[in-house]
Amino acid sequence: MRSRPGRRRAYAAGLSKLDAVRGEPFPTITAALAMADDAPTLSGVDAGATETLTRAAPIYRKAWWPAHRAANRAWQSSIEALVNRHGTAVRDVLVKWYGLPWPADGYAVHLSGYSVAVGAYSSARGVLVVSSLDSSYRDLKGLEMIFHEAMHQWDGPVFNALNAQAKALNVGVPIDLPHAMIFFTTGEAVRRVEPAHVPYAESLGIWSLRLSGAQQPAERLKGPLEDTWRPYLNGRGTRDEALAALLGRVGIAAAAK
């Protein structure tokens, strides 16, 4: 077979440089793969990506798929047991705290041997993808993180709620605040059902990282979240009062820079 180096480099030079969450055609491709199941061909997506995936599929099926399928099944069995035990309680408290609706059928979680660099993501097309090989997504941390990714489907309404309070205070919303709130809130939700749980952000050192394109580590948000958001989670005041108090701390600090 004649070598076609241009096509071999198609993924490296193109799709691999895009944002898997919002960088079209990636969300469309992810949604199509999620629906394809074990179909021998893929349709309805970028032609170049389809050709590249079709050519790579036989090699993947032979070399990696048996091990990845086994990992997927093991992860699913473990996390499903936790969802059956705690899922309703975690979902209900998140809905209560955020005051936003959850789909009646929930969110499907799609497994892959490998996902993005951080191990999981929630696509702009509503597809949740988790790496079954990433050890940081196992047991209670895995339970926490599937709810974390599902909460990203609330990003639009949450930005709107934060922006409404920020406008009243004449401050800006730090770009990483909604993501930091998700880490803080999902960790607390799982700890409410399993008190021994160490939240993902604590156990993996997330607060020392820069989230969502921020220029500074998220550590600067942790104290204000403890002081203003946690009291709300414990039953004090309303959501919007808590958001206003939180922005009164981090919004003013961000605007002063």
Side-chain angles (χ1 to χ4, degrees), residues 76-95:
Q76 179 180 354
S77 177
S78 172
I79 300 302
E80 274 189 348
L82 290 172
V83 169
N84 291 338
R85 190 180 315 149
H86 299 305
T88 299
V90 173
R91 178 203 62 197
D92 288 353
V93 76
L94 293 176
V95 168

Side-chain angles (χ1 to χ4, degrees), residues 20 64 121 171 212:
W64 283 349
Y121 66 99
V171 298
S212 306

Side-chain angles (χ1 to χ4, degrees), residues 124-140:
R125 292 288 297 272
V127 181
L128 279 57
V129 181
V130 176
S131 166
S132 60
L133 298 177
D134 190 326
S135 61
S136 66
Y137 282 77
R138 293 176 187 162
D139 304 320
L140 288 171

Side-chain angles (χ1 to χ4, degrees), residues 11 15 20 24-46 48-57 60-61 65 72 108-115 121 123 125-129:
Y11 181 81
L15 290 174
E24 287 290 356
F26 244 130
T28 299
I29 294 170
T30 301
L33 287 169
M35 295 295 294
D37 197 17
D38 201 28
T41 60
L42 186 66
S43 61
V45 298
D46 177 80
T50 298
E51 181 179 2
T52 301
L53 289 168
T54 300
R55 288 167 59 82
Y60 172 77
R61 288 191 181 103
W65 176 232
N72 291 348
V109 178
H110 298 273
L111 300 176
S112 175
Y114 301 100
S115 179
Y121 66 99
S123 166
R125 292 288 297 272
V127 181
L128 279 57
V129 181

